[in-house]
Amino acid sequence: MLKRRFLAVAIVCILLLSIGGCGRKKLRVAHIYEPLAGPAHRLNFRWLKGVIRQYEKQHPNLPVRLEQIQWDKIDAKAISDYRAGVRHDVVMTSPQFMPQHFEEGDLLDLTPYVSKWSSEKLDDLSWSPSWRKCEQNGVRLAIPTGVHTRLVVFRRDMFERAGLDPENPPKNLDELVEAAKKLTRDTDGDGKTDVWGLGLYIGPLRATIELYFAPLLWHFGGELYDKKSNLAIFASDPGVKAVRFLDDCIHKHRITPPWACSGTYDDVIQQPFLEGKVAMAWGWGNYWNKVLEEKGWIKGLVPPTAQGREIKVGVFVTPTETKAQFTNCWAISIHKLSKQPQEAFSFIETVLEAKNLEVYPDAGVPVLKSIWAKKEYQNHWYRVWKEAAEAGRPMPSTPHYYDLADTVANALQEVILKHADPAATLKRHQDEFNDRYARP
Amino acid sequence: MTDMPVRKRQIAPTLLFLPAFSLLILFWCVPLIPGLGLAFRSPGPEGVWPSLINYSRLLGELTFRRNLLLSLIYVVGVVGSATPIAYVASLLMTRNIRSLKWSRSLLLIPWVVPPVVSSLIFRNMAWAEIGPLTKLYRLISGQPGLLPLQDSSWAMATIILHSFWRSVPVMTLFLAAGIATIPREFHEAAQTDGATSLQRFWHITFPLTRMHLAVGMLLITAFTLQDAETVYALTGGGPHHGTEVAAVRLFKEAFDYGQFAIAAAIGSFLLAAGLCFMLLYLASFRRAEATL
């Protein structure tokens, strides 16, 4: 009997405590997680916990509640939660979704907060392409926490074996194709290619438009989207040239593996490069550099040290006219439904402290100029990454970016896999996209 | 007998049925109605209601008609291949063969493996030059350079094969349960009358397991129609929309494009398709029952 009473009292106490806990004011921070990231995820989590501890020390009456949302769904979640009336305070966001956030109105305008910053602080942070993308029609929706950019990584030993100078990598597309031809090899003499000169990805995912089609389109003088008319405009002469270049790499020059049109970006670019099946990997992201360090292909570069050097691999900026590669970041925003925007911005400022940003595992390359100025970054490796970051470009300002990316990927696959006419195929896909969204 | 006792007798089962019915209303109808309502709202944050624009847009789209066709192929492919194999497996399982006893536990493995994990395993099996499925497909097709995940037909075949692999255990268990309920005397009597194994199957086993077959087929149809996760993990709907079944399109519209109203409209098409299949199975079951 006594036992039962004790149990009942304990249950009531737990219920009361949890109800009390729920009612307590908290700062809701929605951060990203990647279920397949493994140790990388743990590093991010550890970093985040450190930032939260720092914030809670400064705001003892406002504990932080961490909400983890899958990385590629966090923007959609912020929007759907806004529609459903579900509140967050701080939300991680992606620059490519800013037009959609702007249209939906789920993020708070940070302009009044940012305008209070000193010009030095602004100058330190506002140089990256993502900074510009995080502002839509004069409304600042987010602040970048890092820079994610891409370039071409290559095997120095393979360059030497093919009679190429690793200190003088390709500077334009013609040189790139010629180098790739020399690097493509049948090592065991069975008539099948074992090492491909150039790794490209033309699969069903967003990487296709971001890392391959868009940089080539910009190179040939084209654009993906016209913001004034709200029309996709990729089916142009430059668009056709871009598709032809990709198609030629696979079918004419045979420097790119034919399986580049399936699987994921990791399957086609990262893994084959690490396995030595690809000599130059176009679209190599800075988030993969840690693996190079772990393999011993670079030393003392991730994390950066003054002694850092390249051992087995080198990097060069995408050799197009514009040198522009898709560049984005994880940005940080305040949800429109936040009831404590001032406290939320205070959390953002904690995140943006140089000492925190410098060690943020998901930051990519530094977003603060002051970090770039440190001696650890004064080497060839980081000079190239900085050049890539400065030349980088965001994706176009359309609220239907994901659909645009799928449309382009499908058009490219149709041309490359079914040998469809490039001009007609691009036009058909473009019209379908414009019919769906852009025409009144 | 007066009216009162009859009415009283009707009240008791109704009351007993009420909790289950309330749960059905709560978990099925309550989310379904706003979902269907959303389908009649024009896209965008300030969408107008009611509007048929989502339906007219989808029906006017070649891609969506293709999505529906691919869903149909997917369902027919999985149900059509899993049913006969599951029937054979269930017949073997219900026989008292000692060496097959362990198969009951093994059979459940495909069903307990998380769908995304098994999809990734199948993707690796059909990946580039090295996958065993690639080699098998090359042998079957006689195309030495075939890359299955880059060819819409072979990619679709891989998806069907994967779902077939997952569906057979459930179907087998359903049918085995049905076969186990058939009294042994029926078979013994038929055997005494000189009926062959095939005749016994055709005149005893098959007619008496039709209901199990209908329910099993309905379950597999529902799973396959709604299956977005395995297709998405295996092919992402590619190459060039070649495996983009309606459920994948729904997933993309809702979670990639943020077009919830369009996604809801696609959901209503899938619901209608599920109902059509259900009516078809039940009608064919009843017709068969009437001929008994």
Side-chain angles (χ1 to χ4, degrees), chain A residues 44-74:
Chain A
N44 266 331
F45 189 69
R46 211 174 294 153
W47 174 84
L48 199 58
K49 282 282 177 195
V51 173
I52 289 171
R53 267 197 301 277
Q54 186 189 335
Y55 179 81
E56 285 176 341
K57 216 179 258 176
Q58 292 158 356
H59 302 80
N61 297 322
L62 190 62
V64 172
R65 193 178 89 179
L66 190 60
E67 303 162 327
Q68 302 237 43
I69 300 168
Q70 192 172 316
W71 70 278
D72 56 346
K73 299 286 173 277
I74 198 162

Side-chain angles (χ1 to χ4, degrees), chain A residues 250-314:
Chain A
I250 296 177
H251 294 122
K252 188 176 159 191
H253 308 307
R254 295 175 190 274
I255 51 176
T256 296
W259 33 264
C261 297
S262 54
T264 64
Y265 164 49
D266 300 38
D267 298 332
V268 175
I269 300 297
Q270 189 204 29
Q271 280 311 317
F273 182 74
L274 296 175
E275 288 164 9
K277 290 177 187 164
V278 161
M280 293 190 287
W282 173 320
W284 184 268
N286 51 258
Y287 30 80
W288 287 337
N289 286 345
K290 195 167 170 40
V291 193
L292 299 178
E293 181 84 30
E294 282 163 3
K295 276 184 90 79
W297 289 3
I298 52 176
K299 205 166 180 189
L301 289 169
V302 183
T305 61
Q307 295 76 36
R309 63 185 201 279
E310 298 160 29
I311 309 277
K312 207 172 179 178
V313 296

Side-chain angles (χ1 to χ4, degrees), chain A residues 69-308:
Chain A
I69 300 168
Q70 192 172 316
W71 70 278
D72 56 346
K73 299 286 173 277
I74 198 162
D75 292 89
K77 177 91 175 130
I79 291 168
S80 60
D81 281 355
Y82 174 68
R83 285 188 189 174
V86 178
R87 178 172 74 88
H88 303 276
D89 291 306
V90 178
V91 193
M92 298 300 285
T93 46
S94 321
Q96 57 266 44
F97 293 101
M98 288 304 145
Q100 202 170 339
H101 286 298
F102 179 75
E103 196 179 273
E104 297 282 346
D106 63 307
L107 300 179
L108 199 73
D109 182 8
L110 302 180
T111 316
Y113 302 95
V114 173
S115 60
K116 289 177 189 155
W117 283 354
S118 66
S119 54
E120 290 82 27
K121 189 171 181 176
L122 261 178
D123 185 53
D124 203 15
L125 193 65
S126 61
W127 60 276
S128 74
S130 297
W131 173 267
R132 294 187 292 277
K133 188 70 197 287
C134 288
E135 190 176 286
Q136 294 287 313
N137 296 4
V139 177
R140 172 142 304 278
L141 297 172
I143 298 164
T145 61
V147 179
H148 288 188
T149 193
R150 290 90 185 161
L151 39 64
V152 187
V153 67
F154 67 95
R155 285 280 295 267
R156 301 175 75 88
D157 52 339
M158 289 185 186
F159 258 55
E160 279 163 8
R161 215 176 296 141
L164 296 161
D165 179 9
E167 305 306 325
N168 194 17
K171 288 184 183 62
N172 55 50
L173 291 182
D174 291 336
E175 283 183 24
L176 183 80
V177 170
E178 285 314 308
K181 281 180 186 169
K182 287 180 186 164
L183 290 161
T184 302
R185 290 175 64 213
D186 167 16
T187 51
D188 54 12
D190 66 351
K192 287 180 185 169
T193 303
D194 300 299
V195 179
W196 297 91
L198 182 63
L200 300 168
Y201 173 71
I202 315 156
L205 304 177
R206 274 189 290 151
T208 295
I209 185 173
E210 291 168 352
L211 313 184
Y212 306 95
F213 183 72
L216 286 165
L217 186 72
W218 297 330
H219 166 82
F220 291 114
E223 287 294 335
L224 288 160
Y225 193 79
D226 178 38
K227 204 182 169 189
K228 274 187 194 158
S229 61
N230 282 332
L231 289 170
I233 51 166
F234 59 82
S236 53
D237 269 355
V240 172
K241 284 179 188 164
V243 181
R244 286 219 168 101
F245 177 84
L246 294 169
D247 190 36
D248 284 350
C249 286
I250 296 177
H251 294 122
K252 188 176 159 191
H253 308 307
R254 295 175 190 274
I255 51 176
T256 296
W259 33 264
C261 297
S262 54
T264 64
Y265 164 49
D266 300 38
D267 298 332
V268 175
I269 300 297
Q270 189 204 29
Q271 280 311 317
F273 182 74
L274 296 175
E275 288 164 9
K277 290 177 187 164
V278 161
M280 293 190 287
W282 173 320
W284 184 268
N286 51 258
Y287 30 80
W288 287 337
N289 286 345
K290 195 167 170 40
V291 193
L292 299 178
E293 181 84 30
E294 282 163 3
K295 276 184 90 79
W297 289 3
I298 52 176
K299 205 166 180 189
L301 289 169
V302 183
T305 61
Q307 295 76 36

Side-chain angles (χ1 to χ4, degrees), chain A residues 73 76 80 83 100 103-104 204 258-264 267 400 402-403 406 410 413 417-418 432 436, chain B residues 44-45 57 61 63 123 127-129 147 149-150 235 239-241 249 251-253 255-260:
Chain A
K73 299 286 173 277
S80 60
R83 285 188 189 174
Q100 202 170 339
E103 196 179 273
E104 297 282 346
W259 33 264
C261 297
S262 54
T264 64
D267 298 332
H400 310 293
Y402 243 112
D403 200 357
D406 277 357
N410 280 308
Q413 291 203 319
L417 298 175
K418 289 173 92 178
E432 242 180 51
R436 284 188 73 177
Chain B
R57 204 188 93 180
E61 232 185 54
T63 312
R123 197 183 75 188
W127 173 242
E129 315 272 336
L147 293 165
L149 296 180
Q150 293 189 179
T235 61
H240 47 82
H241 295 304
R249 174 76 187 273
F251 179 85
K252 283 186 177 176
E253 290 285 353
F255 302 110
D256 287 349
Y257 310 159
Q259 300 288 319
F260 297 102

